[in-house]
Every structure is written in structure tokens, then in C-alpha cells.
């Protein structure tokens, strides 16, 4: 479908305050409606008009601007040309999507331009005297959308009895309406051959078969070698990967000296607090078991589990006084001779051993 339709007009457009001033830099964010002027100079600016040429026609506005990455998802046609129509900007549109064309035929005809623009804030007056708080400038087209209701009004729409788009050469229009002859095709090894001319078809098929046989022989040899090489590479890669993983696992599992010291100190504190709480701590009890025993004793009937047990333990034992768990020096070694006089009370006392006289 090739049509010419008005798609934009000069005049006043109304936007929500949060649309034009989302950060409230101009005090308009909470204003229900803001009048934005789109004047003659902006709408018909040559650079702005040219920016729409070649841009896609979409079915409704996409959630994001149309780019080369998402063009296939949104394009239903193309803007082929643009011209001024009084106070309106009209586009020559080529619709190439059956679904979009069906929607136009069913009544979805209004147009809404997708674009970026700069806003100038201040006091502006439209030609009809309407006061405006902002004015658009520097429009850059992105797409033209088919919509149920456009902001520009019902005049910006594809109309009944519309003019044929004259931006298209007549031969392109003819190709859209004329039925093309159906070729007689024969598929040979995935290639389509037109057999309407038997002589040409026979030569083409013979060439394809010869090329296929040569390529098949070369491919068979290359595949055999590649299978051997691939198997060797896979085996080596698997071996390297296993060694690397084992090394990383060992390094990750190995505690640092600082971690060992901290763990020992922490366990000693827990043991001391457990004993202070009256728990008969044994060598078979780990840190979690001691902590749970302390909480159960100090809070009979509790149902704590997981992190809640640790939290309760920390709270209950916060003010407990325990001996300093730091490593204590054992002092200098004592030289003891064979003489009985060296084994006096002072020796045992310095070692922290109580001596029972007369033993």
C-alpha cells in the first residue's frame, strides 16, 4: 500500500508536566497539562523533515526507539518522501506488511511521529494566541506509527480516497500489484534450478553434480582428519581442565594461617563461654554444638534454629567474662643439672606445679 498522509501539524500540543519536566527543573512536573508550541520554523525545518525519510512505519509506538538492532521487529513499511501541506507535514508512506495494511483497511489510520527533540522553556505564544510554557526545536525523526488516536488529531491520518504516493517510481507500484510469473523450479542438492529452458537446466544440473562430487571427496578427507585432531584436542582439553579445576579446588579449600588462628581463637572463646554457662564441654563437641547447648540451657524450651541460635548465643553471652584466649608465652627453658640441688621448690613453682612436701 502506497499512500500520502498528513502526519504532523504546527500549533499547540498538550503534555503532562511529568513528561516535559520530569526532574522539576522548571517547576512544571506537577502541572496536569503543559502547552508545548510546535511552530512553523520547527515543523518544516529542512533538516527535521529530511530526518524522517527512510525511517520505518510501525504498528503503534514501540517501547524503545527503532534501531538497526530491532528494526525487523517493528518495521511495517517505510517513509518514502515528505512535503508541506498547508499547516501540515505530509509523508509518502509505503506499507509492506499484510497485517498493518489490514488494520488500516479496518480503520486504524491515525498517525503519530516518533522522534527526539529539544525543549526551550519560557513564555511563548502560538499563532492563535494560546500561551505556551515550552517550545520544541531540533526534531530528529525515528519512526511514524499507525495508532488508534494520535496526539496531532484526526487530520493526521490515512484518509479514504488518499493520494497515491508520488515519491515512488511507477514501476515499483506496478510490481506491487502485478502478478509475477511462477518459475518452474527443480531442487538439486539444495539449489533451485529453473527448468523452463531444458538445455540451460541440463547444463546447470551437470555442473552442480560435478561440483558436488568434487566437494564431497575433499570434505570426506578433511572430515576424517578433523575427527582425529578433534579427538586429540578434546582429550587434552579435558585433562587440562581437570588439572586446573583440581588445583583451584585445593587452593580454595586451603585455609590461611590467619584464618586458622582466628578459628582457633573463636573456638576457644566459645568453649570458655560454654564452661562459664555450666556446659560440660567434651572433645566430641564442635562449636555449633556448644553454642546450641548454651542457648538451650539459658533459654529452656526455645525453638531457635540456624542463624537465630548464633544471634541468641551472642546476646546471652555478651557480658560473660572469659579468660584471655590469646596464646601465652611459656617462658625461657630451665636448665636442670643432675645435681639434686637443682630440683628445688623454685623449679616446680616456676613451671606452675604445686609441690607436696614429704611426698
Amino acid at each position: 500500500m502506497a499512500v500520502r498522509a498528513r502526519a504532523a501539524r504546527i500549533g499547540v500540543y498538550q503534555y503532562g508536566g511529568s513528561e516535559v519536566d520530569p526532574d522539576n527543573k522548571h517547576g512544571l512536573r506537577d502541572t496536569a497539562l503543559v502547552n508545548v508550541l510546535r511552530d512553523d520554523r520547527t515543523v518544516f525545518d529542512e533538516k527535521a523533515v529530511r530526518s524522517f525519510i527512510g525511517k520505518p512505519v510501525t504498528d503503534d509506538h514501540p517501547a524503545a526507539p527503532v534501531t538497526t538492532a530491532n528494526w525487523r521487529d517493528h518495521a511495517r513499511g517505510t517513509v518514502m518522501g515528505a512535503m508541506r501541506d498547508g499547516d501540515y507535514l505530509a509523508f509518502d508512506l509505503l506499507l509492506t506488511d499484510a497485517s498493518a495494511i489490514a488494520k488500516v483497511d479496518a480503520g486504524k489510520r491515525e498517525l503519530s511521529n516518533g522522534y527526539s527533540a529539544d525543549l526551550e522553556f519560557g513564555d511563548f505564544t502560538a499563532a492563535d494566541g494560546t500561551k505556551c510554557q515550552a517550545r520544541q526545536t531540533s526534531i530528529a525523526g525515528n519512526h511514524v506509527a499507525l495508532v488508534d488516536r494520535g496526539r496531532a488529531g484526526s487530520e493526521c491520518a490515512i484518509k479514504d480516497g488518499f493520494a497515491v504516493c508520488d515519491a515512488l517510481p511507477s514501476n515499483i507500484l506496478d510490481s506491487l500489484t502485478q502478478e509475477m510469473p511462477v518459475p518452474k523450479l527443480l531442487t538439486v542438492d539444495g539449489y533451485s534450478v529453473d527448468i523452463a529452458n531444458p538445455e540451460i537446466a541440463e547444463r546447470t544440473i551437470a555442473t552442480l553434480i560435478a561440483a558436488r562430487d568434487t566437494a564431497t571427496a575433499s570434505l570426506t578427507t578433511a572430515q576424517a582428519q578433523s575427527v582425529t585432531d578433534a579427538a586429540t584436542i578434546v582429550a587434552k582439553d579435558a585433562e587440562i581442565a581437570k588439572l586446573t579445576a583440581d588445583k583451584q579446588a585445593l587452593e580454595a579449600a586451603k585455609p590461611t594461617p590467619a584464618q586458622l588462628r582466628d578459628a582457633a581463637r573463636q573456638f576457644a572463646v566459645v568453649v570458655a563461654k560454654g564452661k562459664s554457662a555450666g556446659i560440660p564441654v567434651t572433645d566430641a563437641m564442635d562449636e555449633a554444638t556448644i553454642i546450641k547447648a548454651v542457648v538451650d540451657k539459658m533459654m529452656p524450651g526455645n525453638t531457635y534454629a540456624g542463624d537465630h541460635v548464633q544471634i541468641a548465643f551472642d546476646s546471652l553471652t555478651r557480658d560473660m567474662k572469659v579468660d584471655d584466649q590469646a596464646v601465652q608465652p611459656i617462658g625461657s627453658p630451665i636448665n636442670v643439672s643432675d645435681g639434686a640441688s637443682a630440683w628445688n621448690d623454685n623449679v616446680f613453682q616456676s613451671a606452675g606445679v604445686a609441690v607436696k612436701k614429704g611426698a
Side-chain angles (χ1 to χ4, degrees):
M1 176 184 286
V3 299
R4 175 177 295 173
R6 293 171 172 175
R9 63 170 173 81
I10 63 173
V12 178
Y13 289 70
Q14 291 188 321
Y15 294 82
S18 60
E19 292 182 273
V20 299
D21 190 18
D23 298 325
N24 207 32
K25 293 181 178 179
H26 305 280
L28 298 174
R29 183 184 59 196
D30 299 325
T31 303
L33 291 176
V34 175
N35 289 334
V36 178
L37 177 61
R38 198 178 299 172
D39 58 18
D40 190 288
R41 182 177 61 179
T42 297
V43 174
F44 300 115
D45 176 74
E46 182 178 355
K47 183 178 179 181
V49 172
R50 287 182 178 276
S51 70
F52 283 93
I53 307 301
K55 297 301 169 58
V57 179
T58 65
D59 185 6
D60 289 323
H61 287 292
V66 179
T67 65
T68 54
N70 62 16
W71 179 87
R72 290 182 181 273
D73 298 328
H74 301 300
R76 303 293 182 267
T78 306
V79 179
M80 304 297 294
M83 65 289 302
R84 181 168 184 168
D85 182 4
D87 290 337
Y88 292 86
L89 176 63
F91 291 138
D92 283 345
L93 307 176
L94 177 63
L95 300 181
T96 54
D97 178 74
S99 176
I101 293 171
K103 290 181 180 181
V104 171
D105 290 338
K108 186 176 184 178
R109 297 189 172 189
E110 292 197 15
L111 300 174
S112 177
N113 296 334
Y115 59 92
S116 63
D118 293 334
L119 278 179
E120 295 178 352
F121 292 88
D123 296 323
F124 304 95
T125 303
D128 63 358
T130 302
K131 298 298 183 182
C132 301
Q133 293 78 45
R135 183 171 74 91
Q136 284 188 348
T137 63
S138 304
I139 290 176
N142 180 263
H143 63 273
V144 176
L146 285 171
V147 295
D148 293 313
R149 294 183 65 85
R151 197 189 298 268
S154 60
E155 281 300 308
C156 290
I158 297 173
K159 299 292 187 177
D160 288 326
F162 44 72
V164 173
C165 169
D166 64 6
L168 294 174
S170 60
N171 62 325
I172 294 180
L173 294 178
D174 292 341
S175 69
L176 298 177
T177 57
Q178 294 179 357
E179 184 176 354
M180 301 297 292
V182 179
K184 297 178 181 180
L185 299 177
L186 175 66
T187 301
V188 180
D189 287 345
Y191 293 94
S192 295
V193 180
D194 188 350
I195 59 175
N197 186 322
E199 183 179 350
I200 295 176
E202 183 179 357
R203 289 201 303 268
T204 303
I205 292 172
T207 301
L208 289 174
I209 291 175
R212 179 202 63 186
D213 293 343
T214 301
T216 300
S218 299
L219 179 61
T220 300
T221 302
Q223 285 178 333
Q225 183 60 46
S226 66
V227 168
T228 301
D229 294 343
T232 302
I233 293 172
V234 168
K236 290 295 183 182
D237 287 346
E239 183 180 353
I240 293 172
K242 185 178 183 304
L243 291 174
T244 302
D246 291 344
K247 179 182 178 182
Q248 291 174 343
L250 288 173
E251 291 176 350
K254 180 182 178 181
T256 65
Q259 289 174 329
L260 291 173
R261 288 195 300 271
D262 291 343
R265 185 180 295 109
Q266 174 63 23
F267 183 73
V269 170
V270 171
V271 169
K273 288 186 176 182
K275 291 180 178 180
S276 296
I279 302 300
V281 178
T282 67
D283 292 340
M285 299 173 71
D286 61 11
E287 183 174 340
T289 303
I290 299 171
I291 290 173
K292 186 68 168 68
V294 171
V295 174
D296 289 343
K297 181 171 182 178
M298 300 182 73
M299 297 182 68
N302 76 84
T303 58
Y304 294 150
D307 292 340
H308 292 255
V309 177
Q310 182 66 55
I311 293 170
F313 176 84
D314 292 340
S315 178
L316 293 169
T317 63
R318 181 182 295 112
D319 298 324
M320 263 187 195
K321 302 299 184 182
V322 296
D323 294 335
D324 185 4
Q325 301 305 315
V327 177
Q328 302 294 333
I330 61 175
S332 302
I334 300 173
N335 294 320
V336 180
S337 66
D338 292 336
S341 60
W343 293 87
N344 54 33
D345 292 347
N346 291 333
V347 172
F348 289 100
Q349 290 174 359
S350 65
V353 179
V355 181
K356 184 176 180 181
K357 298 294 186 177

